[in-house]
Amino acid sequence: MAAMSQLSLSKRVIGAVALAIALPFAATACGGSGGGDSDKIVIGTKYDQPGLAMKNPNGTMSGFDVDVATYVAGELGYAPDKIQWKEAPSAQRENLIQNDQVKFIAATYSITDSRAEKVDFAGPYLITGQSLLVRSDSDDITGEASLENNKILCSVAGSTPAQKIKDKYPGVQLQQYDTYSACVEALKNGAVDAVTTDEVILAGYAAQSPGAFKIVGEPFSEERYGIGLKKGDSELRTKINDALKKMEDSGAWKEAFDKNLGPAGISTPQPPPIDK
Ligand code: GLU
């Protein structure tokens, strides 16, 4: 017994010491709304979507969403070196915003009514639509309806394209992964027959592996990309909308689109009007 209480006492001491060491770090890691050191802004985005938002092997970030987020941060007073990026997988976006882990999210994030119950959206800053990616040698998937012929389809949990398949084609064998890059890997090695998400995202993957994949059929939804932010922060929403409008009007939007998505073969659309 004596040995026991001694053990638990020393455990408690160690615990307290560990806490004392950990606490200051915890405080820096989540200080202020939006996380990060107070002079930094934490922005959520994807890390694995070429053309849109990629964390490169050397640690730099690139893509259209990254450029849009960087422009907006600049208008909010944060130079690029004051940005702290945080990965925002599809299923975690509302949580990251609601828990103040990010100031805003630019991550191929469609504006929807159900999401708007939890977060606010600035934008839209891009309009695209859901489509299908298959291997180049595939000839029996020509559009959404052909998926019902016992095909295995991959999409991402918590995304609008996965939801659309569940609602509209309940007979399709849908596998939900955490990321689209995992879906594309599965497509490459034959574990799935097709990947579904927004056309711009699929085009980015197709461009990354020339000759391996093709997009089939016509887009079958409208996805309006917004910047997600804390519900009720109308001041921030107005500032982000002003920044997006300035980016569109100044030509910086077109420049960013051409640079990031031009190589994927998508012709530059008109920038969408920003909501009031
Ligand atoms: N735009 C869709 C969505 O927000 C699909 C892309 C994604 O999962 O990021 O769910």
Side-chain angles (χ1 to χ4, degrees):
M1 275 310 266
M4 266 295 272
S5 62
Q6 193 121 57
L7 181 68
S8 59
L9 175 69
S10 58
K11 254 192 184 164
R12 243 176 291 153
V13 171
I14 293 169
V17 172
L19 201 63
I21 296 171
L23 266 177
F25 288 106
T28 1
C30 0
S33 130
D37 310 337
S38 51
D39 68 332
K40 293 224 170 169
I41 185 168
V42 183
I43 302 176
T45 194
K46 299 296 182 81
Y47 278 7
D48 68 324
Q49 295 182 184
L52 287 151
M54 272 296 276
K55 184 164 185 172
N56 303 303
N58 67 3
T60 60
M61 300 291 297
S62 59
F64 181 70
D65 276 346
V66 168
D67 286 354
V68 168
T70 303
Y71 189 96
V72 167
E75 291 297 304
L76 297 177
Y78 297 90
D81 66 328
K82 299 291 181 213
I83 298 174
Q84 200 173 312
W85 299 101
K86 186 165 179 63
E87 188 170 18
S90 298
Q92 290 174 31
R93 291 174 294 200
E94 288 83 40
N95 271 337
L96 287 168
I97 293 170
Q98 287 180 305
N99 299 338
D100 285 323
Q101 287 171 273
V102 293
K103 191 74 179 173
F104 65 78
I105 286 184
T108 57
Y109 199 9
S110 297
I111 302 170
T112 70
D113 290 345
S114 66
R115 289 171 180 166
E117 288 172 11
K118 299 176 176 170
V119 301
D120 277 349
F121 285 101
Y125 65 90
L126 186 67
I127 296 177
T128 177
Q130 182 172 356
S131 196
L132 293 171
L133 189 74
V134 298
R135 287 181 294 276
S136 317
D137 59 5
S138 147
D139 51 13
D140 51 353
I141 299 174
T142 49
E144 2 151 30
S146 44
L147 294 169
E148 290 188 303
N149 305 331
N150 263 316
K151 296 295 177 196
I152 303 175
L153 178 65
C154 193
S155 195
V156 163
S159 72
T160 50
Q163 193 57 48
K164 179 129 201 165
I165 296 294
K166 286 188 266 184
D167 294 344
K168 218 175 148 198
Y169 300 100
V172 170
Q173 301 184 54
L174 176 68
Q175 296 200 353
Q176 296 184 76
Y177 291 11
D178 287 340
T179 61
Y180 296 109
S181 55
C183 280
V184 169
E185 214 32 58
L187 179 64
K188 197 175 268 179
N189 66 35
V192 303
D193 300 306
V195 177
T196 188
T197 187
D198 307 332
E199 192 174 33
V200 282
I201 301 175
L202 298 176
Y205 289 118
Q208 192 185 37
S209 303
F213 307 117
K214 63 183 177 190
I215 292 173
V216 291
E218 289 301 314
F220 50 99
S221 76
E222 186 181 75
E223 306 297 323
R224 301 162 73 243
Y225 287 176
I227 290 188
L229 65 139
K230 186 99 177 184
K231 194 161 177 64
D233 194 344
S234 55
E235 196 184 318
L236 179 61
R237 183 173 174 274
T238 302
K239 280 187 191 161
I240 296 178
N241 274 340
D242 290 348
L244 290 172
K245 190 164 181 343
K246 188 168 166 190
M247 185 178 187
E248 293 190 354
D249 293 349
S250 67
W253 186 96
K254 184 182 172 345
E255 198 181 306
F257 192 99
D258 290 346
K259 179 180 100 191
N260 294 296
L261 295 161
I266 308 177
S267 52
T268 310
Q270 278 301 314
I274 305 296
D275 288 346
K276 281 283 159 288

Coordinates of all heavy atoms in Angstrom, one line a residue, residues 16-77:
A16 N 2.0 17.0 -12.7 CA 1.9 18.5 -12.5 C 3.0 19.2 -13.2 O 2.8 20.2 -13.9 CB 2.0 18.8 -11.0
V17 N 4.2 18.5 -13.2 CA 5.4 19.1 -13.9 C 5.1 19.1 -15.4 O 5.3 20.1 -16.1 CB 6.7 18.3 -13.6 CG1 7.8 18.8 -14.4 CG2 7.0 18.5 -12.1
A18 N 4.6 18.0 -15.9 CA 4.3 17.9 -17.3 C 3.3 19.0 -17.7 O 3.4 19.6 -18.8 CB 3.8 16.5 -17.6
L19 N 2.3 19.2 -16.9 CA 1.3 20.2 -17.2 C 1.9 21.6 -17.2 O 1.6 22.4 -18.1 CB 0.2 20.1 -16.1 CG -1.2 20.7 -16.5 CD1 -1.8 19.9 -17.6 CD2 -2.1 20.6 -15.2
A20 N 2.8 21.8 -16.2 CA 3.4 23.2 -16.1 C 4.2 23.4 -17.4 O 4.3 24.5 -17.8 CB 4.3 23.2 -14.9
I21 N 4.8 22.4 -17.9 CA 5.6 22.5 -19.1 C 4.7 22.7 -20.3 O 5.0 23.6 -21.2 CB 6.6 21.3 -19.3 CG1 7.6 21.2 -18.2 CG2 7.3 21.4 -20.6 CD1 8.4 20.0 -18.1
A22 N 3.7 21.9 -20.3 CA 2.8 21.9 -21.5 C 2.0 23.2 -21.7 O 1.7 23.6 -22.7 CB 1.9 20.7 -21.5
L23 N 1.5 23.7 -20.5 CA 0.6 24.8 -20.6 C 1.0 26.0 -21.4 O 0.2 26.5 -22.2 CB 0.2 25.2 -19.1 CG -1.1 24.5 -18.6 CD1 -1.4 25.0 -17.2 CD2 -2.3 24.9 -19.5
P24 N 2.2 26.5 -21.2 CA 2.6 27.7 -22.0 C 2.5 27.4 -23.5 O 2.2 28.3 -24.2 CB 4.1 28.0 -21.5 CG 4.2 27.3 -20.2 CD 3.3 26.1 -20.2
F25 N 2.9 26.2 -23.8 CA 2.8 25.8 -25.3 C 1.4 25.8 -25.7 O 1.1 26.4 -26.8 CB 3.5 24.5 -25.5 CG 4.9 24.5 -25.4 CD1 5.6 23.9 -24.2 CD2 5.7 25.1 -26.3 CE1 6.9 24.0 -24.1 CE2 7.1 25.2 -26.2 CZ 7.7 24.6 -25.1
A26 N 0.5 25.2 -24.9 CA -0.9 25.2 -25.2 C -1.4 26.6 -25.4 O -2.2 26.9 -26.4 CB -1.7 24.5 -24.1
A27 N -1.0 27.5 -24.5 CA -1.5 28.9 -24.6 C -1.0 29.5 -25.9 O -1.8 30.2 -26.6 CB -0.9 29.7 -23.4
T28 N 0.2 29.3 -26.4 CA 0.7 29.9 -27.6 C -0.1 29.3 -28.8 O -0.4 29.9 -29.8 CB 2.2 29.7 -27.9 OG1 2.7 28.9 -26.9 CG2 2.9 31.0 -28.1
A29 N -0.3 27.9 -28.7 CA -1.0 27.2 -29.8 C -2.4 27.7 -30.1 O -2.9 27.7 -31.2 CB -0.9 25.7 -29.6
C30 N -3.1 28.1 -29.0 CA -4.5 28.5 -29.3 C -4.8 29.9 -28.8 O -5.9 30.3 -28.6 CB -5.5 27.6 -28.7 SG -4.8 26.2 -27.8
G31 N -3.8 30.8 -28.6 CA -4.0 32.1 -28.2 C -4.8 32.9 -29.2 O -4.5 32.9 -30.4
G32 N -5.8 33.7 -28.7 CA -6.6 34.6 -29.6 C -7.5 33.8 -30.5 O -7.4 32.6 -30.7
S33 N -8.5 34.5 -31.0 CA -9.4 33.9 -31.9 C -8.8 33.6 -33.2 O -8.1 34.4 -33.8 CB -10.7 34.8 -32.1 OG -11.0 34.9 -33.4
G34 N -9.0 32.4 -33.7 CA -8.4 32.0 -35.0 C -7.1 31.3 -34.7 O -6.4 30.9 -35.7
G35 N -6.6 31.2 -33.5 CA -5.5 30.4 -33.2 C -4.2 31.1 -33.6 O -4.2 32.2 -34.1
G36 N -3.0 30.5 -33.2 CA -1.8 31.1 -33.6 C -1.3 32.2 -32.8 O -1.9 32.7 -31.9
D37 N 0.0 32.6 -33.0 CA 0.5 33.8 -32.4 C -0.4 35.0 -32.7 O -0.9 35.0 -33.8 CB 2.0 34.0 -32.8 CG 2.8 32.8 -32.7 OD1 2.4 31.9 -32.0 OD2 3.8 32.7 -33.5
S38 N -0.4 36.0 -31.9 CA -1.4 37.0 -32.1 C -1.1 37.8 -33.4 O -2.0 38.4 -33.9 CB -1.4 37.9 -30.9 OG 0.0 38.3 -30.6
D39 N 0.2 37.9 -33.8 CA 0.4 38.6 -35.0 C 0.2 37.8 -36.3 O 0.5 38.3 -37.4 CB 1.8 39.3 -35.0 CG 2.9 38.3 -35.1 OD1 2.7 37.1 -34.6 OD2 4.0 38.6 -35.6
K40 N -0.2 36.6 -36.1 CA -0.4 35.7 -37.3 C -1.9 35.4 -37.5 O -2.7 35.6 -36.6 CB 0.3 34.4 -37.0 CG 1.8 34.5 -37.0 CD 2.4 33.4 -37.8 CE 3.9 33.7 -37.9 NZ 4.7 32.6 -38.5
I41 N -2.2 35.0 -38.7 CA -3.6 34.6 -39.0 C -3.6 33.2 -39.4 O -2.7 32.8 -40.2 CB -4.2 35.5 -40.1 CG1 -5.7 35.2 -40.3 CG2 -3.5 35.4 -41.4 CD1 -6.5 36.2 -41.2
V42 N -4.5 32.4 -38.9 CA -4.5 31.0 -39.2 C -5.6 30.8 -40.2 O -6.8 31.1 -40.0 CB -4.8 30.1 -38.0 CG1 -4.7 28.6 -38.4 CG2 -3.8 30.3 -36.9
I43 N -5.2 30.2 -41.4 CA -6.2 30.0 -42.5 C -6.2 28.5 -42.8 O -5.2 27.8 -43.0 CB -5.7 30.7 -43.7 CG1 -5.6 32.2 -43.4 CG2 -6.7 30.5 -44.9 CD1 -5.0 33.1 -44.6
G44 N -7.4 28.0 -42.9 CA -7.6 26.6 -43.2 C -7.7 26.4 -44.7 O -8.4 27.2 -45.4
T45 N -7.1 25.3 -45.3 CA -7.2 25.0 -46.7 C -6.9 23.5 -46.9 O -6.6 22.8 -45.9 CB -6.3 25.9 -47.6 OG1 -6.7 25.8 -48.9 CG2 -4.8 25.6 -47.4
K46 N -6.9 23.1 -48.1 CA -6.5 21.7 -48.4 C -5.0 21.6 -48.6 O -4.4 22.6 -48.9 CB -7.3 21.2 -49.6 CG -8.8 21.2 -49.5 CD -9.3 20.2 -48.5 CE -10.8 20.2 -48.5 NZ -11.4 19.3 -49.5
Y47 N -4.5 20.4 -48.4 CA -3.0 20.2 -48.6 C -2.7 19.3 -49.8 O -1.6 19.0 -50.1 CB -2.4 19.6 -47.3 CG -2.1 20.6 -46.2 CD1 -2.5 21.9 -46.3 CD2 -1.4 20.2 -45.1 CE1 -2.2 22.8 -45.3 CE2 -1.1 21.1 -44.1 CZ -1.5 22.4 -44.1 OH -1.2 23.3 -43.1
D48 N -3.8 18.8 -50.5 CA -3.5 17.7 -51.4 C -4.3 17.9 -52.7 O -4.7 16.9 -53.3 CB -3.9 16.4 -50.8 CG -5.4 16.3 -50.5 OD1 -6.0 17.3 -50.2 OD2 -6.0 15.2 -50.7
Q49 N -4.7 19.1 -53.0 CA -5.5 19.3 -54.2 C -4.8 20.2 -55.2 O -4.8 21.4 -55.2 CB -6.9 20.0 -53.9 CG -7.7 19.0 -53.0 CD -9.1 19.5 -52.6 OE1 -9.8 18.9 -51.9 NE2 -9.5 20.7 -53.1
P50 N -4.0 19.6 -56.2 CA -3.2 20.3 -57.1 C -4.0 21.4 -57.9 O -5.1 21.0 -58.4 CB -2.6 19.3 -58.0 CG -3.4 18.0 -57.8 CD -4.0 18.1 -56.4
G51 N -3.4 22.6 -58.1 CA -4.1 23.6 -58.8 C -5.0 24.5 -57.9 O -5.3 25.6 -58.1
L52 N -5.4 23.9 -56.8 CA -6.3 24.6 -55.8 C -5.6 24.9 -54.5 O -5.5 26.0 -54.1 CB -7.6 23.8 -55.6 CG -8.5 23.9 -56.8 CD1 -9.3 22.6 -57.0 CD2 -9.3 25.1 -56.8
A53 N -5.1 23.8 -53.9 CA -4.4 24.1 -52.6 C -3.5 22.8 -52.3 O -4.0 21.8 -52.1 CB -5.4 24.3 -51.5
M54 N -2.2 23.1 -52.4 CA -1.3 22.0 -52.2 C -0.2 22.4 -51.2 O 0.3 23.6 -51.3 CB -0.5 21.8 -53.5 CG -1.1 20.8 -54.5 SD -1.2 19.1 -53.8 CE 0.4 18.5 -54.2
K55 N 0.2 21.5 -50.3 CA 1.4 21.8 -49.5 C 2.5 21.0 -50.3 O 2.4 19.8 -50.4 CB 1.2 21.2 -48.1 CG 2.4 21.5 -47.3 CD 2.1 21.4 -45.8 CE 3.3 21.9 -45.0 NZ 3.1 21.9 -43.6
N56 N 3.4 21.8 -50.8 CA 4.5 21.2 -51.6 C 5.5 20.5 -50.7 O 5.7 20.8 -49.6 CB 5.1 22.3 -52.5 CG 4.0 22.9 -53.3 OD1 3.3 22.3 -54.1 ND2 3.9 24.3 -53.2
P57 N 6.3 19.6 -51.3 CA 7.4 18.9 -50.6 C 8.3 19.9 -49.8 O 8.8 19.6 -48.7 CB 8.1 18.1 -51.6 CG 7.1 17.9 -52.7 CD 6.3 19.1 -52.7
N58 N 8.6 21.0 -50.4 CA 9.5 22.0 -49.7 C 8.7 22.8 -48.7 O 9.3 23.8 -48.1 CB 10.2 22.9 -50.7 CG 9.2 23.8 -51.4 OD1 8.0 23.9 -51.1 ND2 9.8 24.6 -52.4
G59 N 7.4 22.5 -48.4 CA 6.7 23.2 -47.4 C 5.9 24.4 -47.9 O 5.1 25.0 -47.1
T60 N 6.2 24.9 -49.1 CA 5.4 26.1 -49.6 C 4.0 25.6 -50.0 O 3.7 24.5 -50.2 CB 6.1 26.7 -50.8 OG1 6.2 25.7 -51.8 CG2 7.5 27.2 -50.4
M61 N 3.1 26.6 -50.0 CA 1.7 26.4 -50.4 C 1.5 26.9 -51.8 O 2.0 28.0 -52.2 CB 0.8 27.1 -49.4 CG 0.9 26.6 -48.0 SD 0.4 24.9 -47.7 CE -1.4 25.0 -48.1
S62 N 0.7 26.2 -52.6 CA 0.3 26.8 -53.9 C -1.1 26.4 -54.3 O -1.6 25.4 -53.8 CB 1.3 26.4 -55.0 OG 1.4 25.0 -55.0
G63 N -1.7 27.2 -55.2 CA -3.0 26.9 -55.8 C -3.9 28.1 -55.8 O -3.6 29.1 -55.2
F64 N -5.0 28.0 -56.5 CA -6.0 29.1 -56.6 C -6.5 29.4 -55.2 O -6.6 30.6 -54.8 CB -7.1 28.7 -57.5 CG -8.1 29.8 -57.8 CD1 -7.7 31.0 -58.4 CD2 -9.4 29.7 -57.3 CE1 -8.6 32.0 -58.6 CE2 -10.3 30.7 -57.5 CZ -9.9 31.8 -58.2
D65 N -7.0 28.5 -54.4 CA -7.5 28.8 -53.1 C -6.4 29.4 -52.2 O -6.7 30.3 -51.4 CB -8.0 27.5 -52.4 CG -9.4 27.1 -52.8 OD1 -10.1 28.0 -53.4 OD2 -9.8 26.0 -52.5
V66 N -5.2 29.0 -52.3 CA -4.1 29.6 -51.6 C -3.9 31.0 -52.0 O -3.8 31.9 -51.1 CB -2.8 28.7 -51.8 CG1 -1.6 29.5 -51.2 CG2 -2.9 27.4 -51.1
D67 N -4.0 31.3 -53.3 CA -3.8 32.7 -53.7 C -4.9 33.6 -53.3 O -4.7 34.7 -52.9 CB -3.6 32.7 -55.3 CG -2.2 32.2 -55.7 OD1 -1.4 31.9 -54.8 OD2 -2.0 32.1 -56.9
V68 N -6.2 33.0 -53.4 CA -7.3 33.8 -52.9 C -7.2 34.1 -51.4 O -7.3 35.3 -51.0 CB -8.7 33.1 -53.2 CG1 -9.8 33.7 -52.5 CG2 -8.9 33.0 -54.7
A69 N -6.9 33.1 -50.7 CA -6.7 33.3 -49.2 C -5.6 34.3 -48.9 O -5.7 35.1 -48.0 CB -6.4 31.9 -48.5
T70 N -4.5 34.2 -49.6 CA -3.4 35.1 -49.4 C -3.7 36.5 -49.7 O -3.4 37.5 -49.0 CB -2.1 34.6 -50.2 OG1 -1.8 33.3 -49.9 CG2 -0.9 35.5 -50.0
Y71 N -4.5 36.7 -50.8 CA -4.9 38.0 -51.2 C -5.8 38.6 -50.1 O -5.7 39.8 -49.6 CB -5.7 38.0 -52.5 CG -6.0 39.3 -53.1 CD1 -5.2 39.9 -54.0 CD2 -7.1 40.1 -52.7 CE1 -5.5 41.2 -54.6 CE2 -7.4 41.3 -53.2 CZ -6.6 41.9 -54.1 OH -6.9 43.1 -54.6
V72 N -6.8 37.8 -49.6 CA -7.7 38.2 -48.6 C -7.0 38.6 -47.3 O -7.2 39.6 -46.7 CB -8.8 37.2 -48.3 CG1 -9.6 37.5 -47.1 CG2 -9.8 37.0 -49.5
A73 N -6.0 37.7 -46.9 CA -5.3 38.0 -45.7 C -4.5 39.3 -45.9 O -4.5 40.1 -44.9 CB -4.3 36.8 -45.5
G74 N -4.0 39.6 -47.0 CA -3.3 40.8 -47.3 C -4.2 42.0 -47.1 O -3.8 43.0 -46.4
E75 N -5.4 41.9 -47.6 CA -6.4 43.0 -47.4 C -6.8 43.2 -45.9 O -7.2 44.3 -45.5 CB -7.6 42.8 -48.2 CG -7.4 42.9 -49.7 CD -7.0 44.3 -50.1 OE1 -7.7 45.2 -49.8 OE2 -5.9 44.4 -50.7
L76 N -6.7 42.1 -45.1 CA -7.0 42.2 -43.7 C -5.8 42.6 -42.9 O -5.8 42.7 -41.7 CB -7.4 40.8 -43.2 CG -8.7 40.2 -43.7 CD1 -8.9 38.8 -43.2 CD2 -9.9 41.0 -43.5
G77 N -4.6 42.9 -43.6 CA -3.5 43.4 -42.9 C -2.4 42.4 -42.6 O -1.5 42.6 -41.8

